[in-house]
Amino acid sequence: MNISYNWLKEYVDFDLTPDEVAAALTSIGLETGGVEEVQTIKGGLEGLVVGEVLTCEPHPNSDHMHITTVNLGQGEPVQIVCGAANVAAGQKVIVATLGTKLYDGDECFTIKKSKLRGVESNGMICAEDEIGVGTSHEGIIVLPADVVPGTLAKDYYNVKSEYVLEVDITPNRADACSHYGVARDLYAWLIQNGHKATLKRPSVDAFKVDNHDMNIDIVVENTEACPRYAGVAIKGVTVKESPEWLQNKLRLIGVRPINNIVDITNYILHAYGQPMHCFDADKIKGGKIVVKTCAEGTPFVTLDEVERKLSDKDLMICNAEEPMCIAGVFGGLDSGTTETTTDVFLESAYFHPTWVRKTARRHGLSTDSSFRFERGIDPNITIYALKEAALLVKELAGGEIASDIKDNYPNPIADFAVELSYNYVNSLIGKEIPAETVKSIVTSLEMKIVEETAEGLSLQIPPYRVDVQRPCDVVEDILRIYGYNNVEIPTTLKSSLSVKGEVDKSVKLQNLVGEQLVGCGFNEILNNSLTAAAYYDGLETYKPENLVRLMNPLSNDLNVMRATLLFGGLESIQHNANRKNADLKFFEFGNCYHFHAEKKNPEKVLSGYSEELHMGLWITGKRVSNSWAHADENASVYELKAYVLNIFRRLGVNFGSLVFGNLSDDIYSVAISVHTRGGKLLATFGVVCKKIQKAFDIDNEVYYADLNWKELMKAIKGNTVSYKEISKFPAVKRDLALLIDKKVQFAEIEKIAYETDKKLLKSVELFDVYEGKNLEAGKKSYAVSFMLQDENATLNDKQIDKFMQKLIGNLQNKLGSVLR
């Protein structure tokens, strides 16, 4: 937010330089990004001078251009080609000389010597909008005849330099969204740092009602959305340009002047943080303002000439027949003031932040007014701002105040009551601050001391401080004014020994596995836990009704908490693939969220929600590419399986306790699930289905693994690290060629093998699969290798044969396998 240095001095007196003010504001939490010297008109009208048109002849090659000679007050007259219809000899005009920079918004262009239709032109005769002194482009500026040629345009227009501070307002500091709000904080800093200062604002005692010729009733039907609504009628105004001082104030902070009435409302907004709206009183049908919601789907055309469909949750300012304005957000096309307006109705209100925020998000609107209403403005400045605006209207636009102020405020918003203990202040800050200093700071921040004891204070916090409602909030305010840098860093550290818990173990293993994957060529990614509900439409694996939805989403792309890491990884793959980086290996640790309606309990708000830590792995593209020593090779699901199993090994998962099975769902086209024998799902991995890949416009197959880290930690909870001597006795390998049904999986053979003898059998490996001719229909052949070893003796043929016969028998009985 732009804050004018001189405007700030109207509310608090100080002798600090602009840079010193910036440093002071930054130290109290209003971070000032920079201080810029600016002019009331961008560019300061440098290079522009008053000229006198000596001659004006038609251009021989154009039906609208003229060739002029212009006296610039020194040297020889210059020739300028001008396309304005109103240019004539004898005029005093504004001329942009060669090298002058002119601005159109953020764009800048330089006046250069040129040829227009074959005739040389050495400058430019300017219109109002071309130099920023107005908005007219109907013709060139024609000055009074007594203006002296050669006068600098910046002197003629009284352009002044000023300093503007760029203050970054955090979302909780709604009270600082104005010059007066910033001045309040600066005043507290000045008092704390020994400066003599006073905080002031213009008196509105001169406000008085001239007559009662205009009676506009106010009816507030929705007092929740509109706790306070006030207004006053002014008759006989003249809508015209604002005076120079007001235009300059607005231009300096980046606000474009429009007319005196609108400029006054913008001035009040940036001066005191109170958004206002001015209605053309003749357009308030029925002489009544009604604050209410309208029927769902009601069409309404806003100031930007866009027709919007209203929600029945949008608060509207209506007349007796139709809506005129979206409360706190945007005005209507046909209700504002124009050059023909003579009677106006000034509105000053306090709208509920949540209602304004939801409406602004619904319609994709963000205005200066909604920015402030969404964060919570001061409900008690409403009448002051209304009186100040009314007095300015009388001063700048004439007219008479033609009604009493109508103030609809049925339930006044009370101050926040806070009990503050000195011991609490000192313990939280880490330094003992004298009681007198604490009282001085809270008083300078307009907090009322209701009661004082030796132990602490009873405070009433003004409602414009929506961020200060608890003792810790008050302490934060005290500390920022006292000065963070004034709290010394202690030379001793008080600590206690702690025992590592399950979280510490989990984090350690995450780092261990992460390092393992990085060593295998993976990159770690970190995606937003907010995602789009549209990703889950039509899915059975992650049903839309189980999503955790945001009450006030920033956008439809961030309206739910993620139920799986999959889609974030696919977004990352899409982003990289679109930039010619398609060979990817990603992993991510992150929480996933689910809602279970059946577990919802009104007494326990969070009972229906669950949060689980998961790990995701993604592989796509080529495993090997552009290598002189190895042919190009695509990544495969088997490669992914190896990474998953290596993670299990690294964690110490007992493979004998795992159950592998086929998985059929709408996330994968083919996949494997890994359960414990107790039925807990540890992981799934496979090929992402084509439909999902297509939705992300990814051409290469994506292989994805989802590891439930929470369940993995439970599975290895009782594991302890043990060591044993490498066996001195040789291992024996035996191979079997098994003819089995096609539906039988290797995992089933592996399971039966380990059940046959857990002591001797060390590993089971599948080294060949055959399906084709010379086999019965529905059959396939597996070639399986079994590694046997005794830790205490050399195996003999009898032991080996006994094991193999038992194994063959188990495979025949349980799977119907036949030796080939």
Side-chain angles (χ1 to χ4, degrees):
M1 186 178 72
N2 291 331
I3 295 295
S4 162
Y5 174 77
N6 286 332
W7 195 343
L8 203 59
K9 296 185 80 169
E10 294 178 14
Y11 304 123
V12 61
D13 48 317
F14 56 84
D15 56 3
L16 304 178
T17 66
D19 287 330
E20 289 171 336
V21 172
L25 293 178
T26 298
S27 73
I28 57 178
L30 300 178
E31 184 178 354
T32 304
V35 178
E36 182 183 2
E37 184 177 5
V38 297
Q39 292 80 28
T40 51
I41 297 174
K42 190 167 185 178
L45 301 184
E46 292 293 336
L48 294 160
V49 298
V50 175
E52 180 182 8
V53 181
L54 301 177
T55 64
C56 180
E57 301 293 336
H59 193 296
N61 299 320
S62 172
D63 58 358
H64 68 282
M65 291 184 178
H66 294 81
I67 301 172
T68 66
T69 53
V70 184
N71 172 23
L72 299 181
Q74 57 184 355
E76 295 294 323
V78 297
Q79 178 175 286
I80 298 175
V81 177
C82 179
N86 65 328
V87 65
Q91 292 175 335
K92 302 294 176 64
V93 294
I94 298 293
V95 177
T97 57
L98 297 179
T100 300
K101 295 183 183 299
L102 297 182
Y103 296 87
D104 182 10
D106 293 330
E107 295 183 4
C108 170
F109 63 95
T110 304
I111 301 300
K112 300 177 180 178
K113 182 184 292 187
S114 60
K115 283 190 175 183
L116 299 177
R117 300 283 179 89
V119 177
E120 188 175 276
S121 181
N122 298 289
M124 174 176 157
I125 304 176
C126 302
E128 286 184 356
D129 64 330
E130 292 170 333
I131 63 173
V133 298
T135 58
S136 174
H137 193 72
E138 294 180 357
I140 59 170
I141 302 169
V142 179
L143 303 177
D146 58 351
V147 182
V148 178
T151 302
L152 298 179
K154 63 181 180 181
D155 294 335
Y156 178 80
Y157 285 104
N158 194 26
V159 175
K160 297 179 180 178
S161 290
E162 233 273 49
Y163 291 94
V164 172
L165 289 74
E166 186 183 341
V167 180
D168 297 327
I169 305 297
T170 53
N172 63 317
R173 293 302 308 276
D175 63 293
C177 290
S178 65
H179 282 75
Y180 187 73
V182 172
R184 271 191 305 235
D185 262 21
L186 182 60
Y187 166 74
W189 183 90
L190 290 167
I191 296 299
Q192 173 59 29
N193 287 274
H195 297 268
K196 291 184 178 181
T198 55
L199 183 66
K200 58 188 182 294
R201 64 186 183 192
S203 171
V204 292
D205 293 341
F207 177 88
K208 67 181 182 66
V209 179
D210 297 313
N211 55 61
H212 296 82
D213 293 347
M214 290 180 64
N215 181 41
I216 296 178
D217 294 325
I218 296 174
V219 178
V220 179
E221 294 185 3
N222 191 327
T223 55
E224 177 200 346
C226 179
R228 187 171 197 179
Y229 191 93
V232 67
I234 305 176
K235 189 174 183 180
V237 302
T238 302
V239 178
K240 57 184 180 181
E241 276 193 356
S242 297
E244 184 178 314
W245 69 266
L246 179 53
Q247 290 193 47
N248 286 344
K249 272 184 181 290
L250 297 178
R251 284 197 190 100
L252 279 169
I253 59 173
V255 179
R256 181 173 64 88
I258 298 174
N259 60 50
N260 50 0
I261 302 297
V262 175
D263 292 350
I264 288 169
T265 61
N266 283 332
Y267 169 79
I268 297 295
L269 170 75
H270 291 280
Y272 309 110
Q274 173 65 58
M276 299 186 71
H277 192 72
C278 188
F279 295 98
D280 186 328
D282 293 336
K283 296 176 182 177
I284 303 176
K285 298 176 182 178
K288 180 187 290 187
I289 293 283
V290 184
V291 185
K292 63 177 184 178
T293 56
C294 296
E296 183 76 32
T298 301
F300 180 69
V301 181
T302 46
L303 276 172
D304 55 1
E305 300 183 4
V306 175
E307 181 177 287
R308 305 177 189 275
K309 299 295 182 182
L310 299 178
S311 164
D312 60 359
K313 299 296 183 183
D314 293 335
L315 186 69
M316 303 298 295
I317 311 300
C318 309
N319 56 37
E321 299 178 12
E322 59 192 3
M324 299 186 295
C325 178
I326 303 177
V329 180
F330 214 21
L333 183 62
D334 297 324
S335 63
T337 56
T338 65
E339 293 180 355
T340 61
T341 299
T342 56
D343 303 331
V344 296
F345 179 81
L346 281 175
E347 164 199 284
S348 182
Y350 174 84
F351 299 117
H352 196 286
T354 303
W355 280 74
V356 174
R357 188 182 308 117
K358 287 183 177 180
T359 293
R361 297 295 178 273
R362 229 178 338 256
H363 296 290
L365 294 169
S366 180
T367 61
D368 285 341
S369 295
S370 68
F371 179 86
R372 288 161 176 79
F373 277 126
E374 288 177 27
R375 287 157 176 77
I377 66 167
D378 182 3
N380 295 327
I381 203 173
T382 307
I383 301 303
Y384 173 85
L386 192 61
K387 288 181 177 180
E388 172 78 351
L391 289 172
L392 283 171
V393 170
K394 284 190 68 175
E395 176 187 345
L396 305 183
E400 298 177 331
I401 298 175
S403 75
D404 290 320
I405 289 179
K406 305 286 183 70
D407 185 15
N408 194 309
Y409 195 22
N411 302 302
I413 298 173
D415 292 347
F416 306 122
V418 174
E419 297 294 327
L420 186 68
S421 161
Y422 292 133
N423 286 337
Y424 179 73
V425 173
N426 296 332
S427 65
L428 207 57
I429 291 177
K431 178 181 180 179
E432 187 169 337
I433 297 181
E436 290 304 315
T437 301
V438 171
K439 289 190 288 184
S440 171
I441 291 174
V442 297
T443 303
S444 66
L445 288 171
E446 298 188 349
M447 300 179 189
K448 300 173 188 173
I449 301 175
V450 180
E451 186 179 348
E452 180 182 353
T453 65
E455 289 74 31
L457 305 171
S458 295
L459 301 174
Q460 285 187 346
I461 316 297
Y464 67 76
R465 288 305 306 273
V466 292
D467 62 321
V468 182
Q469 302 185 28
R470 304 167 298 172
C472 60
D473 300 328
V474 177
V475 175
E476 181 186 357
D477 253 21
I478 292 170
L479 180 55
R480 67 186 183 84
I481 300 300
Y482 180 76
Y484 295 101
N485 293 334
N486 293 328
V487 179
E488 298 83 3
I489 298 175
T491 56
T492 59
L493 177 65
K494 298 177 182 180
S495 63
S496 60
L497 296 175
S498 61
V499 179
K500 286 186 177 181
E502 294 301 320
V503 173
D504 301 289
K505 181 180 178 182
S506 173
V507 171
K508 179 182 177 182
L509 291 175
Q510 287 176 45
N511 290 333
L512 199 66
V513 169
E515 290 172 0
Q516 173 183 332
L517 291 172
V518 169
C520 294
F522 278 79
N523 287 299
E524 185 173 8
I525 59 175
L526 183 63
N527 286 297
N528 199 336
S529 56
L530 302 180
T531 187
Y535 289 156
Y536 300 87
D537 289 346
L539 290 183
E540 284 297 320
T541 306
Y542 303 102
K543 296 181 179 180
E545 57 264 29
N546 294 129
L547 296 176
V548 179
R549 298 182 180 274
L550 272 65
M551 295 177 67
N552 299 306
L554 294 174
S555 70
N556 288 334
D557 291 333
L558 300 170
N559 57 356
V560 298
M561 304 292 284
R562 64 186 173 198
T564 173
L565 301 178
L566 171 63
F567 300 119
L570 293 178
E571 287 177 349
S572 299
I573 290 173
Q574 180 191 43
H575 180 84
N576 280 270
N578 289 343
R579 288 156 182 79
K580 307 300 182 184
N581 184 24
D583 303 333
L584 303 166
K585 292 180 181 179
F586 289 149
F587 75 94
E588 178 180 16
F589 289 97
N591 287 318
C592 296
Y593 308 85
H594 300 87
F595 172 64
H596 310 279
E598 67 278 3
K599 296 181 181 178
K600 193 172 181 181
N601 185 340
E603 295 180 2
K604 297 180 179 179
V605 180
L606 299 179
S607 60
Y609 299 91
S610 65
E611 176 184 70
E612 287 185 333
L613 181 62
H614 281 245
M615 179 184 185
L617 284 80
W618 296 260
I619 300 177
T620 185
K622 294 186 180 297
R623 178 173 175 269
V624 180
S625 63
N626 300 324
S627 171
W628 66 271
H630 196 295
D632 285 5
E633 181 182 335
N634 290 326
S636 71
V637 73
Y638 302 106
E639 182 187 357
L640 177 65
K641 177 187 176 183
Y643 291 128
V644 172
L645 296 184
N646 283 339
I647 290 171
F648 285 178
R649 290 188 181 94
R650 189 69 161 162
L651 296 176
V653 175
N654 180 5
F655 278 71
S657 66
L658 300 181
V659 178
F660 291 81
N662 282 337
L663 177 65
S664 178
D665 64 13
D666 45 11
I667 296 297
Y668 301 100
S669 57
V670 58
I672 297 291
S673 62
V674 185
H675 291 80
T676 63
R677 293 196 182 279
K680 297 293 185 181
L681 180 63
L682 297 183
T684 63
F685 59 89
V687 184
V688 177
C689 76
K690 294 292 185 183
K691 181 180 178 181
I692 293 178
Q693 284 185 204
K694 185 177 180 181
F696 284 85
D697 197 24
I698 299 172
D699 296 327
N700 294 330
E701 281 197 328
V702 177
Y703 308 105
Y704 170 65
D706 179 12
L707 283 66
N708 189 325
W709 195 260
K710 181 179 178 182
E711 292 298 335
L712 276 171
M713 292 302 99
K714 289 180 181 178
I716 63 170
K717 188 174 182 180
N719 287 8
T720 56
V721 178
S722 60
Y723 302 90
K724 62 182 179 181
E725 187 179 357
I726 297 174
S727 178
K728 301 174 182 177
F729 304 100
V732 176
K733 187 168 74 169
R734 291 290 185 268
D735 299 336
L736 292 178
L738 302 171
L739 186 65
I740 56 177
D741 290 338
K742 279 190 176 181
K743 63 182 180 180
V744 175
Q745 296 180 358
F746 170 69
E748 297 176 67
I749 297 174
E750 187 179 37
K751 177 184 175 184
I752 292 170
Y754 281 115
E755 288 174 348
T756 301
D757 193 320
K758 295 180 180 177
K759 182 181 178 182
L760 295 181
L761 184 62
K762 301 304 179 184
S763 67
V764 183
E765 300 289 341
L766 176 65
F767 64 88
D768 187 48
V769 179
Y770 176 72
E771 296 180 57
K773 62 182 180 178
N774 300 325
L775 292 182
E776 297 177 32
K779 297 289 185 177
K780 61 183 176 182
S781 174
Y782 272 4
V784 187
S785 176
F786 303 90
M787 186 70 71
L788 306 173
Q789 188 177 36
D790 191 332
E791 305 292 338
N792 303 311
T794 302
L795 288 171
N796 56 46
D797 291 341
K798 185 176 179 180
Q799 290 174 296
I800 298 168
D801 291 342
K802 181 180 177 181
F803 169 80
M804 294 304 296
Q805 290 303 320
K806 185 178 179 181
L807 174 61
I808 292 168
N810 288 341
L811 292 172
Q812 288 174 342
N813 295 333
K814 295 181 180 181
L815 299 180
S817 65
V818 178
L819 290 180
R820 292 187 67 193

